Amino acid sequence: MTVFSERKVSSKGEKLAQRISGILAQLHQGNHLDKHVLADRFQVDVRTIERDLAERLDGIVERNAQGHWQLVHAARGAIPARHLTEYARLSGTQHLFPDSSRPYLLQQLDKPGNRRTMQVQPAATEDLGATTPYFARLAAAIDHCFECRFEYKGKVRRVQPYRLIHKQGIWYLAATDGERLKNFSVALVTGLEVDDGCRFSPKPEHHDYIDGKDDVWFTSETVEVILRVAPVAAHYFTRRALLPRQRHRVHADGSLIVTSQISHLQQLLPVVRYWLPHVRIVQPTQWHEHLVSELKQALELWDLP
């Protein structure tokens, strides 16, 4: 989508100026342009567009390997405008602001920091420290389908890497260990070796599984959990999902019945503990009993002299 508006012009010079400015506007958005599409858009002969690109914009544009035209490297901005939306999607911030339109965000960026109407408090994120160089190597292994070898929690693993996933401030590697898809905390990986002599064929079902997950607990089995949430805490469960595949039903008294699909008990307990005594596990009953037993043990421990 271009950012300039077209108007009717009469003189040859005005038409040329509008055409060149239109081409440059598209180029500065990071677009790769086809001369035939440009000729159709501006209602001119293809040879006219060729002169625009090869002569009038000489030194500013170049032809790429696909035969399309793009800005030469020296004329490009640090980040093409069209990449900003994709960056927001990649970093999970596309819905961060109520108004995510480009004009609104650019207006905010143009203001001095102390005059902006918005302030985003950064979320806590782990410091990967010495493992940071592993990122490029793991990403390359994923791109080229190379197997990897590393030590993880005292055990040597040979894996087929599929994806690097960021969840709640922690980076994980999704990879198959044997036939099983698992996640590995990148910060705990040591002795990484990428075997560029051993390639594997990624399984589409693994990609589909990862794409369909909103957590990093990889297992083929899940348990349906039902929680009762008291009215005082209901708002916190309705404003955003605190559990995977969360659904809720509101009762007349303002309480909630929340259902979720849980892969592991420890995926659920931290959330329930945080909201005690306002959240109760209704099903499975054995998980409720497990939590009660843990709480009793903690109370006995704290009562020791």
Side-chain angles (χ1 to χ4, degrees):
M1 182 178 70
T2 56
V3 295
F4 68 95
S5 59
E6 295 183 23
R7 60 181 178 83
K8 292 184 178 180
V9 293
S10 55
S11 73
K12 184 177 180 180
E14 284 182 313
K15 289 180 179 179
L16 172 61
Q18 187 186 65
R19 191 169 66 248
I20 294 299
S21 65
I23 292 172
L24 287 172
Q26 293 186 63
L27 289 167
H28 276 287
Q29 291 181 60
N31 295 334
H32 297 169
L33 306 183
D34 183 284
K35 62 183 181 182
H36 300 284
V37 175
L38 290 174
D40 183 64
R41 181 202 172 99
F42 292 105
Q43 295 297 295
V44 295
D45 190 89
V46 172
R47 287 173 295 181
T48 300
I49 295 297
E50 289 175 341
R51 283 196 300 273
D52 290 341
L53 296 167
E55 299 175 14
R56 298 181 177 109
L57 294 176
D58 182 37
I60 299 175
V61 299
E62 64 185 3
R63 197 192 305 267
N64 63 22
Q66 290 72 42
H68 294 168
W69 292 84
Q70 63 189 20
L71 287 174
V72 298
H73 189 272
R76 300 174 199 169
I79 302 178
R82 66 184 177 86
H83 287 175
L84 295 178
T85 300
E86 184 61 20
Y87 175 78
R89 188 200 65 77
L90 176 65
S91 60
T93 60
Q94 69 269 40
H95 302 301
L96 179 62
F97 303 106
D99 185 347
S100 59
S101 65
R102 187 181 301 169
Y104 179 77
L105 295 179
L106 290 177
Q107 181 186 51
Q108 294 298 317
L109 292 173
D110 283 340
K111 293 180 180 179
N114 60 354
R115 291 181 53 198
R116 290 174 184 162
T117 58
M118 302 179 298
Q119 179 178 338
V120 179
Q121 297 288 350
T125 303
E126 67 176 340
D127 181 4
L128 292 178
T131 62
T132 300
Y134 285 176
F135 258 81
R137 296 168 62 190
L138 286 170
I142 293 169
D143 280 340
H144 296 95
C145 302
F146 292 148
E147 292 192 355
C148 298
R149 181 181 178 276
F150 53 77
E151 186 171 333
Y152 190 80
K153 295 183 178 180
K155 182 179 178 181
V156 176
R157 317 279 183 142
R158 187 172 184 88
V159 306
Q160 297 176 343
Y162 275 78
R163 193 80 57 82
L164 287 164
I165 302 171
H166 187 267
K167 182 70 174 180
Q168 296 180 339
I170 307 297
W171 277 103
Y172 298 91
L173 170 69
T176 55
D177 183 4
E179 293 298 318
R180 186 179 172 188
L181 186 64
K182 300 180 181 179
N183 70 73
F184 302 89
S185 171
V186 175
L188 300 181
V189 170
T190 60
L192 173 65
E193 298 176 5
V194 176
D195 189 349
D196 57 9
C198 190
R199 303 188 68 169
F200 68 97
S201 298
K203 294 183 178 180
E205 58 266 31
H206 288 334
H207 280 299
D208 292 342
Y209 179 81
I210 294 170
D211 290 340
K213 292 283 285 183
D214 56 2
D215 60 71
V216 291
W217 295 80
F218 293 165
T219 176
S220 58
E221 300 293 333
T222 60
V223 176
E224 182 176 73
V225 171
I226 301 177
L227 307 177
R228 179 176 288 279
V229 181
V232 67
H235 166 69
Y236 300 98
F237 281 78
T238 57
R239 69 178 179 179
R240 63 186 179 96
L242 298 179
L243 294 166
R245 297 172 61 183
Q246 178 179 313
R247 302 187 307 277
H248 64 266
R249 185 173 72 255
V250 184
H251 280 206
D253 63 355
S255 66
L256 298 179
I257 291 295
V258 174
T259 61
S260 175
Q261 295 295 323
I262 300 296
S263 300
H264 193 280
L265 176 60
Q266 293 306 319
Q267 187 180 14
L268 173 70
L269 290 184
V271 176
V272 176
R273 292 192 198 104
Y274 183 87
W275 289 105
L276 287 175
H278 307 302
V279 176
R280 175 188 175 91
I281 302 174
V282 178
Q283 291 183 7
T285 54
Q286 61 267 34
W287 285 13
H288 168 73
E289 293 165 358
H290 178 91
L291 175 61
V292 171
S293 176
E294 275 192 347
L295 294 173
K296 288 180 178 178
Q297 291 176 26
L299 290 172
E300 291 174 0
L301 180 64
W302 296 335
D303 285 340
L304 288 176

